[in-house]
Amino acid sequence: MLKVAVSIFILLAGINCAKADILYQDNLSDSFGQEYSSYNYYQLIDKGSKRTPREEYFLAFAYLINENNVLKETNVCKAFHGFESASKSGIVDATFNVAIMYYNGQCVERNLDKTRSFLTRAAEQQYVQAQALLGRAYWGEDVEDLYETDNAAARKWLEKAANNGDAPSAIGLSYLYEHALGGSENPELAFKWRLKASSLPYGEFAMGYFLPLARYYENGYGTEIDLIQAYKYYDLSGSVGGAGLSRVSKKMTSEQIADARQQSRHWQEENRRFNPGYNGLQRQSDGSYR
């Protein structure tokens, strides 16, 4: 009897200690799309229980969205059970998807407790989308019914996500520090995270995010006054930065303005993010601007 109990304990320990594995922090990346397109999903179906956890995850994803019509139709229940299986095998991406499906009530009854449990597990296993969503949830954004507003907790999770590479989380964190939400105002940290956001790899970064950074440089908020940098970031903000450009240019020499414009152009070319029409740039058929 003791041997049976020990065997059961070892089996359960093995299940609970499955190695956590993150496949992709960003499902919108080219590499994710390439792997998604590399599978023959009917062959994966035929493999049955011989599918690897990675294959299980991608098959579940195909059942969920069926992008490129790789299957005859979507099937949210097969998607849920596939994600659930992959999660038990340690695929953190799948754990996050299980949380989302519990939140939306897809195939299963909507369950906020299970949403919190799976979402927190994925976040603690360093999945950036889960960390970012927790931060927004505590802030009262996107999933307002998941938690009571707790800006201190929002700061905690947004910082984890930002340190993990999520640009929108860095922007949110900057906002919280500037407006003293969840703690005291901290201009230096507001500036730090706003500046850092433009270099982070995950999440959509809009050029309009530069507008507060330009204001920080113009007014010396969290950093020293630097009109060249202020002009540069107003310029990068596009049309919404027009008033700021007009204001700071009146305090600058023509040489300073030329320097700021050159820095803006260099940033756009280096990061391949452009404001259409800047210095005559026009969008080309290959997606570039010349």
Side-chain angles (χ1 to χ4, degrees):
M1 191 70 179
L2 179 59
K3 289 183 179 180
V4 173
V6 170
S7 298
I8 293 174
F9 174 79
I10 292 173
L11 177 62
L12 291 175
I15 293 173
N16 292 332
C17 297
K19 179 181 178 294
D21 188 13
I22 295 174
L23 303 183
Y24 292 96
Q25 292 281 25
D26 183 0
N27 288 350
L28 299 177
S29 67
D30 291 341
S31 55
F32 178 89
Q34 290 167 4
E35 181 167 1
Y36 173 84
S37 299
S38 71
Y39 292 106
N40 181 317
Y41 288 94
Y42 292 104
Q43 289 181 356
L44 290 188
I45 292 171
D46 289 341
K47 287 182 71 172
S49 61
K50 295 181 180 180
R51 287 190 294 271
T52 67
R54 191 182 196 101
E55 290 171 337
E56 193 72 62
Y57 172 78
F58 272 95
L59 179 57
F61 201 88
Y63 274 126
L64 182 64
I65 66 169
N66 198 24
E67 186 173 351
N68 302 330
N69 296 313
V70 294
L71 295 169
K72 290 182 179 179
E73 59 186 3
T74 60
N75 188 316
V76 293
C77 284
K78 288 183 178 180
F80 176 82
H81 294 306
F83 286 136
E84 189 177 44
S85 175
S87 174
K88 290 177 180 178
S89 296
I91 303 297
V92 184
D93 317 45
T95 302
F96 175 73
N97 279 281
V98 171
I100 298 302
M101 295 188 79
Y102 269 120
Y103 181 78
N104 292 327
Q106 294 170 281
C107 183
V108 291
E109 185 176 348
R110 192 167 189 260
N111 190 316
L112 295 185
D113 286 336
K114 288 188 175 182
T115 299
R116 297 182 190 102
S117 176
F118 282 98
L119 185 61
T120 302
R121 185 193 308 173
E124 289 174 344
Q125 291 175 323
Q126 302 306 308
Y127 194 61
V128 69
Q129 294 184 59
Q131 293 171 333
L133 185 56
L134 270 179
R136 297 195 302 273
Y138 276 114
W139 193 4
E141 299 285 332
D142 292 349
V143 282
E144 298 178 3
D145 57 348
L146 197 56
Y147 293 100
E148 294 292 330
T149 300
D150 183 341
N151 288 324
R155 280 191 183 189
K156 167 190 168 183
W157 285 109
L158 289 176
E159 183 168 355
K160 287 180 182 294
N163 279 325
N164 215 355
D166 188 61
S169 293
I171 294 296
L173 194 58
S174 174
Y175 184 91
L176 291 175
Y177 277 121
E178 179 179 354
H179 296 277
L181 299 175
S184 59
E185 179 183 3
N186 192 318
E188 289 74 22
L189 287 178
F191 170 78
K192 168 192 169 181
W193 289 111
R194 180 72 61 168
L195 181 63
K196 188 177 179 64
S198 63
S199 64
L200 297 179
Y202 305 127
E204 182 179 357
F205 182 86
M207 299 290 266
Y209 289 162
F210 281 134
L211 192 62
L213 186 59
R215 175 169 49 82
Y216 292 173
Y217 274 117
E218 180 183 2
N219 299 315
Y221 185 82
T223 186
E224 294 183 358
I225 292 176
D226 188 330
L227 296 183
I228 292 177
Q229 292 303 308
Y231 188 107
K232 167 188 170 182
Y233 286 110
Y234 278 130
D235 191 53
L236 287 172
S237 300
S239 60
V240 296
L245 275 180
S246 177
R247 187 170 57 249
V248 299
S249 64
K250 295 175 182 178
K251 308 173 188 178
M252 301 170 67
T253 66
S254 57
E255 291 79 9
Q256 288 175 321
I257 292 174
D259 185 7
R261 285 177 174 170
Q262 181 59 36
Q263 289 190 36
S264 173
R265 176 70 175 266
H266 177 73
W267 188 96
Q268 292 177 65
E269 293 174 346
E270 184 177 35
N271 292 274
R272 295 190 58 78
R273 294 173 177 168
F274 298 95
N275 288 325
Y278 176 68
N279 274 4
L281 294 176
Q282 298 295 325
R283 193 179 194 281
Q284 307 298 312
S285 58
D286 63 358
S288 66
Y289 285 78
R290 293 194 294 272

